[in-house]
Amino acid sequence: MRILLTGSSGWLGSALAPRLKALGHQVVGLDPVASAQTQVVGSIADRDLVLRTVGDNRIEAIIHSGALHKPNIEHHENADFVATNVQGTLNLLDAAVASGVQRFVFTSTTSLMISRAIRAGLTGGARKAAWLTEEMSPEPRNIYGVTKLSAEHLCRLYHIEHGLPVVVLRTARFFPEADDMAHAIEQSDANTKANELLFRRLTVEDAAEAHVAALEKARGLGFDIFIISAPTPFRPEDCEALIADAPSVVARYFPDYPRLYARQGWTRFSSIDRVYDPSRAKERLGFVCRTSFADVLAALAVE
């Protein structure tokens, strides 16, 4: 297929473009930043550029991973987020319809699922961890989440009105930067990210593979939304104990976990406040992340 990949110079795009090419696809990368994976340097907010790029390259599928992200809030106005994340998505959807594109994959975020009320509970003595699935009605807490949810709604609308097959992937954390959580200050980056694989993280390689799976299944699914995160060992009935004593819950599933962490000099999250449940992606998309917390422990066991 001839695929337009937005965000091609970013962390995900840099992993995804080579994977798509290895599968035999022709990839046109579009990004404001030049890179080896980017053929068109520019913004998705530039409507004429988007329409021209999709039409001139006879694009058959669009993977839309380009966006302003949460870290950009400090340096960009709300209008910038709307222009890129909302208007940019609309431009791509219009280009898709105009050119007869048959598959559209949108990279969204689990961040939009954390409302101010949930955040207040998570930081203010919640009685149990939040168990988060696609069934909940998001109420985003910042401009990043608001614009990503708005883009999701546009994707749904264009499926309804134009029959455009769209798969929305709400990805958990896979960024390479050090964690911004308070307890990360006391832990190494590898330690923190290993802990997060239990409930809110995946590797960038798995994120790329999820997009490949979504691309393949888009026409059959029509429209769907999936949480993409490493498989969690936890169950909803664990949520109270996860708040009160997370290490004991983890040890029930992984008995060697305390010993392996102690040998590594790693610390454990004393409390886990949310769990993203990716089971729907397994059931309907046929996708499961390859790397899980169990793989981290297996690697520690042989060190």
Side-chain angles (χ1 to χ4, degrees), residues 119-142:
R119 170 67 72 183
L122 298 180
T123 59
R127 294 181 179 179
K128 59 191 297 187
W131 188 267
L132 301 170
T133 74
E134 296 88 348
E135 300 304 315
M136 67 178 293
S137 298
E139 297 177 2
R141 70 189 187 279
N142 56 38

Side-chain angles (χ1 to χ4, degrees), residues 217-239:
K217 295 287 184 69
R219 295 191 68 176
L221 290 169
F223 179 87
D224 220 327
I225 296 174
F226 299 103
I227 290 172
I228 305 296
S229 189
T232 180
F234 306 134
R235 302 171 184 174
E237 52 265 34
D238 294 323
C239 286

Side-chain angles (χ1 to χ4, degrees), residues 157-222:
L157 179 66
Y158 271 62
H159 169 68
I160 293 170
E161 292 191 342
H162 302 285
L164 178 66
V166 183
V167 177
V168 175
L169 302 181
R170 289 182 181 169
T171 57
R173 295 182 171 207
F174 60 83
F175 51 72
E177 294 84 6
D179 200 293
D180 61 359
M181 298 172 69
H183 49 59
I185 297 173
E186 301 175 359
Q187 300 180 346
S188 71
D189 188 48
N191 185 176
T192 298
K193 289 177 178 177
N195 287 337
E196 287 189 334
L197 279 172
L198 286 161
F199 65 104
R200 58 181 273 169
R201 179 170 285 277
L202 70 160
T203 66
V204 69
E205 292 81 11
D206 279 333
E209 287 301 322
H211 284 73
V212 171
L215 185 71
E216 293 173 350
K217 295 287 184 69
R219 295 191 68 176
L221 290 169

Side-chain angles (χ1 to χ4, degrees), residues 7-31:
S8 51
S9 298
W11 180 240
L12 174 59
S14 297
L16 181 52
R19 181 74 182 105
L20 292 170
K21 292 173 184 177
L23 292 171
H25 299 299
Q26 300 174 37
V27 181
V28 176
L30 170 60
D31 197 288

